[in-house]
Amino acid sequence: MTISAPAFEYVSTLVRRETAVIYDLGKEYLAEARLLPLAREAGCADVDAYVARLRTDPTEHRRAVDALTINETSWFRDNAPYQVFTGQMLPALLTARATTRHLSLWSAACSSGQEAYSLAMLLDQHLPAGWTAEILATDVSTAMLDRVRAGRYGQVEMNRGLPATSLVRYFSRVGSEWEVSDDLKRMVRTQHLNLAAPFPPLPTFDVVFLRNVLIYFDLPTKRDILRRVRDRIAPDGYLLLGSSETTLDMDEHWTRELSGRVQVHRPAVAERVTTTSPRLTAATTGA
Ligand SMILES: C[S@@+](CC[C@H](N)C(=O)[O-])C[C@H]1O[C@@H](n2cnc3c(N)ncnc32)[C@H](O)[C@@H]1O
């Protein structure tokens, strides 16, 4: 390992300030692996030399922070949440939104867009004629948002969870990559958004996917984000977290309902309207 302790402290402080993501001691190898390509590109002898440049060149901060965010994702990640989305949330919402016939979804921390486009595919397949839907895809990384807009993926990424039928139906080959169809792109709107900072004006969402990002934050940040996300979800809306994440012991203003092994989080309201769908099994109630 060549990154020095002061250089590591500088980049971990930078990432925390910009994104609230915690780079604990012990993650030096990760920081170094992520920054080495940028150091080489900048003509620096090693990562320490690149960090010295970062200290004097704030215009390079964005690229460094982008490189240090963990963007691991895949199509229909973990499968089960998407099954719950089509099998339970969507039927309930189709009844509950019969007047407006519009659904609003949020892929918060969308990475390169597989989550948002997975949802777009399901909406394309299950939304009745005459309905509209918008998926807001947000991330703190501008590089990731560029990727969502481009909608282009390499073969290795395509192999991660995308059914062959969906590949044929929604993608076309462009050189060595695959590009998502314009129809799906039209459903997905991108916006830069730092979950750890006050939100810009946002619509009210029917479903929020906030998956595999809370794990990177400390407890007060998780609590604060959950509270602000709750303000943006319809009273009968749904929140899905990553499989290792929960609202339990973090924010009591959620109810948790189990669907199979998927924990579905819903804003706690005194009297939820339950005529729209069979209730999922109440796992624990915070209300
Ligand atoms: C591991 S990926 C998860 C992607 C997707 N949600 C999934 O479950 O596959 C985490 C994403 O969170 C983003 N992220 C990290 N800190 C963030 C913040 N403060 N605000 C918004 N996005 C953030 C990263 O840029 C990255 O794209």
Side-chain angles (χ1 to χ4, degrees):
M1 187 182 62
T2 61
I3 191 167
S4 65
F8 179 71
E9 195 188 329
Y10 180 81
V11 292
S12 58
T13 305
L14 174 68
V15 173
R16 189 161 189 169
R17 192 180 68 224
E18 301 284 323
T19 69
V21 167
I22 295 166
Y23 256 77
D24 280 328
L25 281 175
K27 292 274 176 64
E28 290 87 345
Y29 69 94
L30 191 58
E32 180 161 3
R34 294 298 187 109
L35 293 177
L36 196 55
L38 297 189
R40 291 205 176 113
E41 231 177 86
C44 297
D46 54 24
V47 169
D48 270 13
Y50 177 70
V51 174
R53 175 177 290 201
L54 278 181
R55 289 178 188 271
T56 58
D57 182 5
T59 63
E60 187 67 14
H61 287 185
R62 169 69 24 221
R63 265 159 54 80
V65 169
D66 275 358
L68 289 162
T69 52
I70 311 293
N71 306 120
E72 166 75 15
T73 190
S74 56
W75 306 100
F76 301 98
R77 186 170 185 175
D78 302 329
N79 260 314
Y82 292 90
Q83 285 167 4
V84 174
F85 173 71
T86 41
Q88 304 193 28
M89 298 179 193
L90 209 46
L93 287 169
L94 290 181
T95 306
R97 303 289 181 270
T99 317
T100 58
R101 297 203 293 177
H102 179 78
L103 296 182
S104 193
L105 278 58
W106 182 14
S107 168
C110 61
S111 187
S112 36
Q114 284 87 332
E115 183 173 275
Y117 287 127
S118 297
L119 289 168
M121 288 179 225
L122 295 177
L123 289 171
D124 179 66
Q125 290 158 28
H126 296 281
L127 216 52
W131 282 68
T132 54
E134 181 177 71
I135 302 161
L136 180 66
T138 66
D139 203 282
V140 76
S141 162
T142 50
M144 285 301 119
L145 294 172
D146 288 344
R147 290 214 52 203
V148 181
R149 280 187 289 273
R152 287 202 184 182
Y153 301 93
Q155 191 61 55
V156 173
E157 290 172 312
M158 297 302 280
N159 290 345
R160 299 194 60 202
L162 187 71
T165 46
S166 299
L167 187 149
V168 173
R169 187 162 170 185
Y170 297 112
F171 290 83
S172 50
R173 186 120 210 178
V174 183
S176 61
E177 294 184 314
W178 295 88
E179 183 167 346
V180 74
S181 71
D182 287 342
D183 283 349
L184 293 198
K185 277 189 192 174
R186 269 192 289 274
M187 241 187 268
V188 174
R189 182 165 69 85
T190 56
Q191 185 174 343
H192 180 263
L193 186 143
N194 180 358
L195 288 165
F199 295 157
L202 291 170
T204 299
F205 297 101
D206 302 306
V207 179
V208 176
F209 272 52
L210 176 70
R211 304 198 67 227
N212 304 300
V213 64
L214 289 181
I215 37 169
Y216 300 112
F217 304 133
D218 64 17
L219 191 58
T221 308
K222 288 183 212 209
R223 285 204 167 115
D224 180 48
I225 293 171
L226 283 169
R227 182 184 52 75
R228 286 180 294 115
V229 166
R230 186 164 35 82
D231 285 346
R232 301 295 354 125
I233 297 191
D236 60 348
Y238 303 88
L239 168 71
L240 278 167
L241 301 176
S243 47
S244 63
E245 298 164 327
T246 181
T247 57
L248 192 61
D249 296 333
M250 284 194 207
D251 184 349
E252 72 276 23
H253 301 291
W254 294 91
T255 58
R256 289 163 289 279
E257 301 171 0
L258 267 185
S259 176
R261 54 190 180 80
V262 177
Q263 205 173 49
V264 177
H265 306 261
R266 312 194 70 188
V269 285
E271 285 179 55
R272 185 182 300 292
V273 179
T274 56
T275 52
T276 51
S277 73
R279 258 181 91 90
L280 310 176
T281 313
T284 53
T285 55

